[in-house]
Amino acid sequence: MKQDIGMIPALGMGMKSTKRAEQAPGDDLARIELETVVLVRHFEMLRRRSDIYAELERSEYLLLRTLEAAGPLDIAGLAARLGLDPSTSGRQVNAMVARDLVRRTPDPADRRRGIVEPTERGCALMQEVRRRRLVETDALLADWEPAERAALAGVLARYNRAVAGRYLTGDDEP
């Protein structure tokens, strides 16, 4: 399928396809590739054009959500879950400690290891960002049917599991 290059700058206009049924199987991959790059661009645009991350950076939000889901972790465990190098994760944690978003305490079993957990302030800011994100997402999908929302959630979750399986957990299935 030929891409309509003129549509790409419009971010989200997609590729024109008047003969969907005649597409070759590889065309779906081409469309997925384009739609994912546009999706990433849209996420960045939404971040810049809203106050969702006014007090909490996107990376801080994800780190806090990871700690919320997994519980307190050491730097290596946090880095593994986020797909980061431990030194990068450590720098991010240090910056968040300075902003009172997380605290690091010695591991009782091994005092050389620090355990990271959210502070009250970090939890409160994370909850506010989550609320703002949900409001924005609800507005964007206001005219979608509940089944369409559920389908999108399921497909995104499956895609994220595939990425995690390949690059984070090693659970990649052929």
Side-chain angles (χ1 to χ4, degrees), residues 61-73 81 118 126 130:
Y61 176 72
L62 183 56
L63 189 144
L64 288 165
R65 288 293 307 262
T66 301
L67 290 172
E68 177 186 52
L73 293 167
R81 288 180 186 259
M126 178 190 60
R130 180 184 295 161

Side-chain angles (χ1 to χ4, degrees), residues 84-101:
L84 298 172
D85 182 85
S87 64
T88 301
S89 185
R91 284 190 300 276
Q92 187 176 9
V93 165
N94 288 339
M96 291 176 72
V97 166
R99 294 190 55 219
D100 190 34
L101 300 173

